[in-house]
Amino acid sequence: MHAAIKSLKKYKIGYRTAKTAVAVSIGITIAQLCNLDFFVSSAIITILCVQNSKKKSLHSAFARFVACMLSIPFSYVFFEGIAYQPYVIGLLLLVFIPTTVLLKVNEGVVTSTVIILHIYSRNNMNWDIILNELGLIVIGIGAALLVNSYMPSLDKEMKTYQKKIEKHFQELLMEMVHFLRENECDINFQNKLKVTSKEVQIAKSLAFRDVENHFTRKENYYYKYFTIREKQLDVMDRLFARVTGVSTLIEQREAVASFLEELSLCVHSGNTAQLFLSKLQKIEDQIKNQDLPKNWEVFEEQAQVYYILKEIEQYLVIKKSLKVAY
């Protein structure tokens, strides 16, 4: 019993599934009220046109409408011109499918094939049949566009991912601080980096869907934000490799550790990059004024510290490009 309840909790009806069910019901009801033949076929067109964004839905509807409209004259030429025989369907598709690919409406091949088979099953073609098929096309596509005209806001989900990612960034920075001060790692940095990268990718896909739900919007704040975090992760990967390459130079390690600790406390959606760039420049100036290395080993570590500062600078420059306007 407990296992059954547990598996039932996992069963979840998605928003797109619910929309598809509603759209199919609307499409079949209207087609049936209009006394159209093959009225249940409108459901096939509807299901294929329901997408997870407004732009995708509109593009899908356009491709299927054009393909379906093409299928009617193609059916007339092949069936009336040759014969109503199974091999003619094959010949028709041999010409029809490349045509849809050429016109970039091959997404509508399945729905247009339904129209072709309707005409074939009638063994005849007249205006009543053509109007019937046009009715199925318009009703099926129209029902899909109707339910897809409303899309729920994704802001809450994107905000949740933003907070999770910022927390991960804080942990990654503090892990570097810990290493600089203690010469040891508490967590598997690379695994944490992969988890964060995966969440950034999911968040970016959500933000992209949000862009596609607005016809006049090319990009939104969240998409830009997650793209910046993605670029910063690449920098952090290189930065950690540099940090673990410094084992001496206690004073310089502590200066970098203090800076990264302060930076970790300011991982948020605001843009304080310029402030930290100024502080970073002061640290760099202080290190430049120190005595030159007296042996090769110290020289190598000094060079590593220099590259650490440059990686941190790159991290901040990337963040600086984000406009705080959301």
Side-chain angles (χ1 to χ4, degrees):
M1 184 66 179
H2 178 71
I5 294 171
K6 192 174 180 180
S7 62
L8 194 63
K9 286 181 179 178
K10 291 181 181 179
Y11 181 78
K12 185 180 178 181
I13 298 175
Y15 186 74
R16 184 176 173 181
T17 303
K19 286 199 304 181
T20 302
V22 172
V24 166
S25 299
I26 292 171
I28 292 177
T29 301
I30 296 173
Q32 194 169 3
L33 288 173
C34 293
N35 293 317
L36 297 178
D37 295 330
F38 308 110
F39 59 84
V40 291
S41 295
S42 64
I44 299 172
I45 301 171
T46 302
I47 290 170
L48 294 170
C49 285
V50 174
Q51 302 292 326
N52 59 6
S53 74
K54 289 181 181 179
K55 283 185 180 178
K56 281 185 179 178
S57 182
L58 196 63
H59 178 269
S60 177
F62 175 77
R64 295 182 199 288
F65 181 78
V66 172
C68 287
M69 295 303 292
L70 280 174
S71 69
I72 295 173
F74 267 81
S75 297
Y76 180 81
V77 170
F78 278 83
F79 294 141
E80 293 291 332
I82 303 175
Y84 284 86
Q85 294 294 330
Y87 74 89
V88 178
I89 297 176
L91 291 173
L92 192 160
L93 292 176
L94 281 174
V95 179
F96 180 73
I97 293 175
T99 303
T100 60
V101 173
L102 186 66
L103 296 173
K104 297 181 180 179
V105 293
N106 50 303
E107 192 178 345
V109 167
V110 175
T111 47
S112 53
T113 302
V114 173
I115 304 302
I116 290 168
L117 294 176
H118 284 175
I119 296 170
Y120 173 79
S121 65
R122 295 292 194 94
N123 204 38
N124 183 31
M125 198 167 177
N126 54 46
W127 280 110
D128 288 338
I129 294 172
I130 293 171
L131 290 173
N132 184 85
E133 297 308 312
L134 285 173
L136 291 174
I137 296 165
V138 171
I139 290 169
I141 292 174
L145 289 176
L146 179 65
V147 298
N148 255 18
S149 62
Y150 171 74
M151 288 287 178
S153 174
L154 298 171
D155 283 5
K156 187 177 179 180
E157 289 180 74
M158 291 189 290
K159 189 69 177 176
T160 299
Y161 271 106
Q162 184 183 36
K163 288 180 179 178
K164 285 172 66 178
I165 290 164
E166 286 172 355
K167 184 181 178 183
H168 290 328
F169 267 69
Q170 289 173 341
E171 291 171 354
L172 290 169
L173 288 169
M174 283 307 298
E175 181 58 26
M176 285 187 267
V177 171
H178 181 76
F179 182 86
L180 286 167
R181 287 175 175 166
E182 307 295 334
N183 250 8
E184 59 182 23
C185 296
D186 283 342
I187 63 169
N188 189 321
F189 188 88
Q190 291 301 325
N191 282 346
K192 190 69 169 178
L193 202 69
K194 287 178 182 178
V195 170
T196 309
S197 179
K198 187 177 180 181
E199 290 186 346
V200 168
Q201 290 302 318
I202 295 170
K204 266 188 75 177
S205 67
L206 278 175
F208 185 72
R209 273 176 55 193
D210 187 62
V211 172
E212 290 204 320
N213 283 334
H214 300 83
F215 296 112
T216 58
R217 185 184 294 177
K218 298 289 183 182
E219 193 176 85
N220 67 4
Y221 166 83
Y222 281 113
Y223 187 82
K224 180 71 173 176
Y225 176 85
F226 294 128
T227 300
I228 282 173
R229 290 303 186 195
E230 183 180 37
K231 291 177 180 177
Q232 285 183 315
L233 279 176
D234 291 335
V235 176
M236 290 183 80
D237 190 17
R238 298 195 303 268
L239 180 58
F240 185 72
R242 297 287 186 188
V243 165
T244 53
V246 182
S247 58
T248 59
L249 303 178
I250 304 302
E251 185 181 340
Q252 294 181 11
R253 280 163 59 103
E254 179 55 36
V256 174
S258 298
F259 181 87
L260 290 176
E261 184 175 25
E262 187 180 356
L263 185 62
S264 72
L265 297 173
C266 294
V267 177
H268 49 64
S269 57
N271 200 336
T272 55
Q274 186 56 55
L275 175 64
F276 279 99
L277 281 168
S278 300
K279 291 183 178 181
L280 187 68
Q281 185 60 52
K282 290 179 182 178
I283 294 174
E284 188 174 337
D285 291 340
Q286 287 173 3
I287 293 174
K288 283 179 180 178
N289 291 326
Q290 292 175 356
D291 295 334
L292 291 173
K294 292 182 172 58
N295 59 62
W296 180 255
E297 287 75 16
V298 177
F299 174 79
E300 282 186 321
E301 295 218 348
Q302 187 89 344
Q304 284 285 61
V305 172
Y306 174 78
Y307 281 118
I308 286 171
L309 296 178
K310 288 304 173 185
E311 292 292 4
I312 296 172
E313 182 182 354
Q314 182 61 25
Y315 175 94
L316 293 169
V317 168
I318 292 170
K319 181 64 185 291
K320 189 180 176 182
S321 65
L322 180 67
K323 294 180 180 178
V324 186
Y326 202 87

